[in-house]
Amino acid sequence: MSPRPTQQDLVRALLDRHGRTYAAEAGIALRNTPQPLYQALVVADLLSARIRASVAVAAARALFAAGLRSPRRMADAPWQQRVDALGEGGYRRYDESTATRLGEGAVLLLDSYGGDLRRMRDAAGGDTAVLRGALQELPGIGPAGSGIFVREVQAVWPEFAPYLDAKALQGAAELGLPGDSGRLARLVGPDRIADFASGLVRAALDPAVADDVRARIPA
């Protein structure tokens, strides 16, 4: 009978196989600067719809490839350009409504924060609830989208870490890891917390991820 894998075994295997943020998957080199932070917000917006994560990431890549990498570019782009980019990424079910709200959200972000999410960060003063509330004032960013954004950016906005939402905790349960955010966070360093959270979310969304993690642990 094989020994039961330790928590550290599971964490190492998860990080090695599935520990990558969705922002990174969309080609974003996340830094605490306006453009990549905005791109992470776009990814969070797209992921929050009832659509496969792979499609949301592909749609984000298509938007960025079309040059829509900043609030100004998004706001100034013709509506049809946003629709076409979303369609190219396979985001066809919600392409027209999403194209509208991305444009409206970019305008509001420019008007309220000069297009710089760091100003929203400063206004939140390290309070996650305040930050999520401000994010939810943007069209299309609801509770799910605001949570995804905080989860993705916590490595560069460490005052909001550790942020492990309900979906991440569900993934932890699938792997037999602790169901408490604090205990989970202590299993990784602060530089990997966002990667860890994304890996846990993948385990929640796809049972094959948990099976793959266990299969990678040496007997």
Side-chain angles (χ1 to χ4, degrees):
M1 182 174 174
S2 299
R4 184 176 181 179
T6 68
Q7 291 180 358
Q8 286 298 338
D9 288 335
L10 291 165
V11 170
R12 279 192 295 268
L14 179 67
L15 288 172
D16 181 57
R17 296 287 296 169
H18 306 283
R20 190 182 188 201
T21 65
Y22 289 99
E25 193 175 333
I28 303 167
L30 192 58
R31 301 183 302 277
N32 186 35
T33 55
Q35 187 164 292
L37 288 170
Y38 174 68
Q39 291 168 10
L41 181 67
V42 170
V43 171
D45 183 332
L46 298 177
L47 283 169
S48 65
R50 293 184 178 180
I51 200 162
R52 291 195 310 276
S54 59
V55 173
V57 168
R61 282 184 168 274
L63 286 166
F64 304 151
L68 309 183
R69 302 184 187 93
S70 70
R72 175 54 63 196
R73 290 290 186 89
M74 188 69 78
D76 289 348
W79 176 80
Q80 190 62 53
Q81 183 182 2
R82 297 193 294 268
V83 171
D84 291 345
L86 289 164
E88 183 180 335
Y91 206 87
R92 295 183 180 88
R93 182 177 177 186
Y94 305 104
D95 54 354
E96 295 187 356
S97 60
T98 301
T100 298
R101 76 169 185 260
L102 285 172
E104 293 174 348
V107 169
L108 183 57
L109 188 59
L110 288 163
D111 290 346
S112 300
Y113 300 98
D116 189 345
L117 283 159
R118 295 176 301 179
R119 296 183 182 180
M120 185 186 291
R121 173 192 185 181
D122 292 343
D127 188 316
T128 302
V130 172
L131 175 63
R132 292 189 63 192
L135 287 164
Q136 288 173 49
E137 293 176 3
L138 300 172
I141 302 293
S146 67
I148 293 167
F149 178 78
V150 177
R151 192 180 72 215
E152 291 279 303
V153 305
Q154 61 184 310
V156 295
W157 287 4
E159 67 269 36
F160 301 109
Y163 186 82
L164 295 157
D165 57 11
K167 190 62 71 174
L169 295 178
Q170 180 184 335
E174 292 288 338
L175 289 163
L177 291 170
D180 173 79
S181 295
R183 291 176 63 196
L184 279 172
R186 287 192 288 274
L187 296 174
V188 296
D191 58 325
R192 298 304 306 275
I193 186 65
D195 296 330
F196 183 43
S198 294
L200 292 173
V201 168
R202 288 182 172 89
L205 295 174
D206 184 358
V209 169
D211 292 339
D212 179 63
V213 167
R214 294 189 187 96
R216 299 292 165 172
I217 297 171

